[in-house]
Amino acid sequence: MPHPQISHVVIVGASVAGVKLAQCLRSEGFTGAVTLVDAEDDPLYDKPPLSKDYLSGVSSAPEIALTTLDDLNAREISARFGVSAVSLDPATKTLALSDGSELSYDALVIATGARARLTPWASLPGVHVLRTRADADELRKEIVAGRHLAVIGAGFVGAEAAATALKAGLRVTIIEPLGAPMGRAMNAEVGGIFADKHRHEGAEFRFGISVERVEPIGERCRLLLTDGSALDVDAVLLGIGAVANTEWLQSSGVSIDNGIVCDATLAAVGVPDVYAIGDVARFTNDRHPDSVRLEHWTSAADQALLVAHNIAHPDDPRSYNPTEYVWSDQYDWKIQIVGLTGSDHWTIVGDPAADRFAIVYGVDTQPVQGVVIVNWPRALIDSRRSVASAVATGDLTERLRRLLVASKAAV
């Protein structure tokens, strides 16, 4: 039965966080009304494939669907798609929508995610971002063998899209102001291992420089770089980060600081009966005393489950204390990341040249902070357990070394 004070839950955002929340509310026993709102006409798709199989054409739209309208209807979940939230009045518990209508709620969950960070020349022909399926559809038109793609920013999306384009036969130049791909997540030295992999596959890098501006040159684009050089390409992908979608909340009283500030239960600070999940949520907990946003699929799904429980069982609230996990597919490398990575204290187990290895972060006698694992499922199992239970870094490193020796002996 729904809680007597909560009979209608409105969820703003129908990507993975919002959809999972709606589904989890039902599995948690909530029988009240649930309404999903999203600005996209058809938002029910998974986003990780957009830079990989969907971009390459290997996967079709139905194959990356999160769910269907029929499934939502079967669960008695109402959908208001093609309309966006424009303002929130917590005093009256009213959500105003872009079509002029309003929704009243007992509990509101904000899952509006983030959008691609833009530049002044983002609207030029041939310049793309990759955040939605529509973005992927436009970029897919550029994925033609023999063309030249510039990728600005070598974070996860940029690195994945570059790998997809190279596999499709494009020439790819990656421009990154740091000294390595995914350097913020892994540190520059470890990022260099992944730079070597990209080079081996044919990628060209311009490290330590940025793009000053882009100019159209006929049907191509000319990039003017901060080192004084120029680069002519057929298309450009911007991968320079994301901006949380919170502008519509400016006058609501919700506390905003590069995302929606939440407590450990993911309740929004500043207003009652409002939660935030997914890329838009900024929270603190035991592992994160300084507030953080986690832009990961697994974080969105885990947060959805937790908030569904807290809404359906308000007398038994739970706090969000995750062991972070994210994955990335680049070429034939399955990259899986557990916990907090990026410190200067790290040890490698295995050999990147053999396409199977792990990077363990932390000081030998201190709890392991995080692990990057490539093509090594058994190492992933031990690493997730070890990070969650704060095993000493040296103990995990030694176990992984023994595991590597045993696996070689078994071959």
Side-chain angles (χ1 to χ4, degrees), residues 37-342:
V37 177
D38 199 280
E40 289 190 57
D41 292 325
D42 184 11
L44 303 176
Y45 57 87
D46 208 6
K47 290 189 173 179
L50 296 182
S51 58
K52 300 181 278 290
D53 285 352
Y54 185 79
L55 182 61
S56 68
V58 171
S59 295
S60 64
E63 291 174 307
I64 67 167
L66 285 169
T67 186
T68 64
L69 284 173
D70 287 343
D71 181 70
L72 294 180
N73 290 334
R75 297 172 187 257
E76 297 185 331
I77 297 168
S78 300
R80 294 287 302 275
F81 296 158
V83 292
S84 57
V86 295
S87 66
L88 171 65
D89 184 353
T92 61
K93 293 192 172 182
T94 302
L95 180 74
L97 303 179
S98 58
D99 63 358
S101 64
E102 294 183 341
L103 281 173
S104 296
Y105 65 85
D106 298 303
L108 177 74
V109 184
I110 302 169
T112 46
R115 63 187 183 278
R117 188 180 299 277
L118 301 179
T119 66
W121 26 266
S123 61
L124 289 175
V127 178
H128 300 266
V129 296
L130 186 52
R131 196 75 190 183
T132 68
R133 190 172 60 194
D135 295 336
D137 289 338
E138 288 301 309
L139 182 59
R140 186 190 283 185
K141 298 173 185 176
E142 311 281 7
I143 306 300
V144 178
R147 291 172 66 81
H148 188 181
L149 174 69
V151 178
I152 303 175
F156 286 103
V157 171
E160 290 171 356
T164 299
L166 280 162
K167 288 170 65 177
L170 280 75
R171 177 186 173 190
V172 176
T173 302
I174 304 172
I175 302 163
E176 168 57 56
L178 297 182
M182 302 172 289
R184 290 181 180 86
M186 299 183 184
N187 80 36
E189 287 183 286
V190 175
I193 296 171
F194 294 88
D196 289 343
K197 174 63 173 177
H198 278 270
R199 289 192 186 98
H200 177 75
E201 299 291 343
E204 304 166 18
F205 281 106
R206 301 285 187 93
F207 286 132
I209 60 174
S210 301
V211 178
E212 285 190 338
R213 67 180 185 274
V214 176
E215 299 175 347
I217 305 293
E219 295 184 354
R220 307 189 79 208
C221 298
R222 174 164 294 167
L223 282 63
L224 304 178
L225 308 180
T226 54
D227 65 355
S229 65
L231 179 68
D232 291 353
V233 298
D234 295 294
V236 179
L237 172 62
L238 296 177
I240 56 174
V243 179
N245 292 319
T246 58
E247 289 80 4
W248 63 281
L249 294 164
Q250 291 297 331
S251 62
S252 67
V254 173
S255 181
I256 297 172
D257 179 14
N258 184 24
I260 297 171
V261 180
C262 301
D263 64 20
T265 69
L266 299 179
V269 172
V271 294
D273 301 314
V274 176
Y275 299 82
I277 58 175
D279 293 357
V280 77
R282 174 172 291 278
F283 63 92
T284 59
N285 59 26
D286 294 341
R287 286 174 55 79
H288 296 285
D290 298 322
S291 63
V292 64
R293 284 197 303 120
L294 297 178
E295 297 183 12
H296 307 322
W297 191 100
T298 47
S299 299
D302 289 346
Q303 290 170 10
L305 177 59
L306 179 126
V307 169
H309 170 87
N310 288 347
I311 290 174
H313 309 286
D315 297 327
D316 179 31
R318 295 176 181 172
S319 295
Y320 183 58
N321 259 311
T323 298
E324 297 83 354
Y325 171 72
V326 61
W327 76 91
S328 178
D329 295 314
Q330 299 174 32
Y331 312 107
D332 56 346
W333 279 12
K334 180 75 171 184
I335 305 163
Q336 296 169 295
I337 303 174
V338 179
L340 305 177
T341 58

